[in-house]
Structures are given as C-alpha cells and as structure tokens.
Amino acid sequence: MATTDQIKALRDETGVSVMVCKKALEEAGDDIEKAKVILRKISANAAAKKADRTLGAGVAAAYTHAGGAVVGAVVLACETDFVSRNEDFSKLAYDIAMHVAAMVPQFRTKEDVQESDIAAAKAVFEGEVANLPEAVREKALQGKLDSYLADKVLMDQPFVKNPEVTVGNLITQAVQKFGEKVEIVRFERLSVK
C-alpha cells in the first residue's frame, strides 16, 4: 500500500493528480520508478486523446544566457487562458526556451525535416560508412541518420535539465498535468556569434 509520503513525492515530481499517482503506485507495487513509467504511458494516452483540440491561448518565453550572447525563445500554446496563466505552464515555457538556447535544435518535429536536409546528411554519412561491409552498411547509415535527427529535432532531444526525458516527453507530461493539449508552436535561437 502506497504511503502518503510516496504519493506526495510522486505528485511533486510529476505534477499528476494525487489519485492518478496513487493508482500508478498501487499498480507498480509501490515502486516509484515503475510508477513513473506507468504515468508516462497514461500521459501519452491522454495526449493522443487531446491531439485534435484547438489551441487558443499560450505564452511566449525567452531565456538569455552567456551575458546576453545567446537567447532562446519559445511559444508554448494551450487551449485556454486559464492554463496559459498558470505559473507552472510559464515555467515550462521558460525551461524549454533555456533548452533551445543550450541545445541548438533546428527542427521542431521529424515531420519538419525537409527531404533536402535528409539528403545532405545522407550524402555525408554514406562517405563515412563506405568502407563497411555491404551487409551492415545500410543499417549503419540509418543509425547515423537517426542519431543526427535526434540531435537536431527539438521534440526528440534529451531535456537539458533532465536527460532521462525528451522535450517531447515534457510536452506529453504537460498534457496530463494541465488536462489540455499543449504544443510548442514556434522556437528560435539567436546568438551574437
């Protein structure tokens, strides 16, 4: 049986409701790490159900780093003003802006990657795998492409403050926490150099 302290700790860490945390802990046999995995699955299901909803509010946030030499900015959208005015929502937008400043993403999602970008990367990587045996060459090339895209796609990047989750996971968790569709609609990174 999950203790109140365990439920509170899980709630504080994830932002998910007390009842959902309690159910996840019970299902995980009071193992907090297993409960987090269960909550991620619940969050993903909640996000999928809300994917068709209309975004009508949001917040723009900016993070300035390195004595003003680098700025990360993000527009984080949600469905209602009620959520957009929430302090935790604003903090999430700020954290993502900080991530953008630090990690230099080029694309928001894999769907935003142009064929020309993939072709250019593929041309470079084909040269790198040319000396490999033909049986493993295609798999190595695909691995290099996948790694390259994970490095450049914002939603696939490990979050700078907690590399155990991706930025996409953060958005999925936000959907669960706020009960609304949440989406990064725009991001920008500016630097002096």
Side-chain angles (χ1 to χ4, degrees):
M1 181 95 172
T3 67
T4 305
D5 289 339
Q6 286 176 310
I7 296 169
K8 184 179 182 327
L10 190 58
R11 160 93 171 118
D12 291 345
E13 191 171 333
T14 64
V16 177
S17 74
V18 172
M19 290 307 296
V20 175
C21 287
K22 181 180 178 186
K23 286 180 185 176
L25 275 167
E26 287 171 358
E27 187 177 329
D30 296 337
D31 182 323
I32 288 192
E33 292 307 313
K34 286 181 183 176
K36 287 179 191 175
V37 172
I38 292 167
L39 288 176
R40 281 189 205 113
K41 289 179 183 176
I42 292 170
S43 295
N45 290 339
K49 288 178 185 174
K50 296 173 195 287
D52 294 339
R53 293 187 178 178
T54 303
L55 299 168
V59 65
Y63 170 82
T64 304
H65 183 68
V70 177
V71 174
V74 67
V75 176
L76 187 63
C78 58
E79 296 174 45
T80 65
D81 286 340
F82 177 77
V83 169
S84 71
R85 290 189 300 254
N86 183 299
E87 185 178 325
D88 288 342
F89 187 81
S90 295
K91 184 178 180 330
L92 175 63
Y94 180 80
D95 284 348
I96 295 171
M98 177 179 31
H99 175 92
V100 167
M103 301 306 289
V104 199
Q106 290 182 307
F107 311 101
R108 189 176 62 86
T109 66
K110 284 182 181 172
E111 290 76 25
D112 295 336
V113 181
Q114 301 293 315
E115 280 299 319
S116 59
D117 295 315
I118 293 172
K122 196 172 189 175
V124 170
F125 297 139
E126 282 174 341
E128 291 179 11
V129 300
N131 294 333
L132 293 176
E134 193 171 330
V136 296
R137 192 177 304 148
E138 192 60 37
K139 188 173 182 176
L141 177 63
Q142 190 59 49
K144 285 184 174 284
L145 275 172
D146 291 345
S147 178
Y148 170 78
L149 288 176
D151 222 25
K152 302 294 181 192
V153 174
L154 175 62
M155 298 298 279
D156 294 341
Q157 289 180 331
F159 180 50
V160 72
K161 288 175 78 174
N162 179 5
E164 293 179 15
V165 298
T166 65
V167 174
N169 295 139
L170 284 179
I171 297 301
T172 301
Q173 291 169 2
V175 170
Q176 173 71 28
K177 180 176 183 174
F178 300 115
E180 291 189 3
K181 179 179 178 184
V182 175
E183 186 176 313
I184 299 169
V185 293
R186 185 167 176 213
F187 72 91
E188 195 76 39
R189 182 183 188 271
L190 305 171
S191 66
V192 174
K193 296 178 188 177

